[in-house]
Amino acid sequence: MIKKYVYDGETYSCEYYVRQAIDAKEHRAFGEEPKGTLEEKQAFWATNNVAYSEEPDPEPTLEELKSTKLSKLERAFLQWYEQDAVVTSSLGFVADSDVRAVTDVSGLITVAEATPSESRTTVAFMDHNNEAHMLSLDQLKTLQLEIIQNGQSAYQQKWQIRTAIEEAADKDALDAIEIKFTGLDFTVTE
């Protein structure tokens, strides 16, 4: 809501400034603006030689709406990429695919590779549902590749959504754009 105060031929958009103008010209202060209806506020200000009006906030421009939607996209992407990302592995389970998962799987691979091959065994990997899976070094490398590909897919999805937002012709087209990220499913064969 845009408030407008007209006093002594000057227009003010803030109650504080119109009160200062009245005090400077008339050397007086007065009570608080009523919290009631527009008519009550207008009557209050009229007793102080002020024409008061309210106008609805202007509708945001398409560019402003796009900017807001792009900000939402960035927040949603970071939330998904840094915390919520999952991938359905070809190994038969759903794994976390966020930033921490990349680090965790890389660490397991590094340890496995540092272990002499004759003593190398499987290691426990906790999936998205906190269920343990005993994985070999080759399986860990497969999972690592799937997690990396899932991250690349997320970026592709982000760029597609960003392009759609930037190319939206009007508010309805912009509103129709869904911001959602979907993890890859490596169990699906084409």
Side-chain angles (χ1 to χ4, degrees):
M1 188 66 60
I2 298 174
K3 296 180 176 186
K4 189 160 97 174
Y5 307 83
V6 179
Y7 171 72
D8 196 29
E10 294 290 325
T11 301
Y12 301 89
S13 59
C14 174
E15 179 180 349
Y16 174 78
Y17 293 125
V18 75
R19 284 178 178 274
Q20 280 190 323
I22 292 168
D23 184 46
K25 183 173 184 177
E26 300 178 28
H27 306 291
R28 68 181 179 89
F30 47 93
E32 293 294 314
E33 175 184 278
K35 302 286 185 216
T37 66
L38 173 62
E39 291 77 20
E40 290 171 326
K41 292 175 185 178
Q42 287 173 328
F44 168 81
W45 285 107
T47 63
N48 293 290
N49 303 316
V50 176
Y52 175 78
S53 63
E54 294 178 356
E55 299 172 7
D57 290 330
E59 289 292 318
T61 66
L62 182 58
E63 290 309 310
E64 290 169 334
L65 293 171
K66 286 180 179 183
S67 178
T68 299
K69 190 100 175 192
L70 288 169
S71 294
K72 288 179 184 176
L73 170 62
E74 188 61 30
R75 286 190 305 275
F77 176 77
L78 289 175
Q79 175 68 35
W80 191 86
Y81 193 75
E82 293 176 358
Q83 296 178 16
D84 299 337
V86 294
V87 62
T88 304
S89 174
S90 61
L91 302 173
F93 54 85
V94 175
D96 291 331
S97 182
D98 54 21
V99 173
R100 181 174 175 184
V102 171
T103 303
D104 291 348
V105 172
S106 294
L108 290 171
I109 290 170
T110 300
V111 169
E113 287 177 335
T115 303
S117 57
E118 62 275 356
S119 340
R120 202 176 286 159
T121 60
T122 58
V123 296
F125 173 80
M126 300 301 281
D127 70 11
H128 178 68
N129 296 315
N130 287 325
E131 294 177 17
H133 299 272
M134 299 308 292
L135 301 181
S136 67
L137 176 59
D138 287 341
Q139 289 172 318
L140 287 170
K141 288 181 177 181
T142 295
L143 181 59
Q144 181 185 46
L145 182 59
E146 291 171 348
I147 289 171
I148 291 168
Q149 289 173 325
N150 197 50
Q152 291 172 341
S153 171
Y155 273 105
Q156 289 173 350
Q157 292 173 57
K158 178 184 177 184
W159 303 145
Q160 289 171 346
I161 296 168
R162 185 179 76 179
T163 298
I165 290 169
E166 291 171 345
E167 292 177 354
D170 56 34
K171 182 183 182 311
D172 291 336
L174 190 61
D175 289 343
I177 298 169
E178 182 179 15
I179 297 175
K180 179 181 176 187
F181 297 95
T182 304
L184 295 176
D185 185 343
F186 288 95
T187 63
V188 176
T189 57
E190 295 181 38

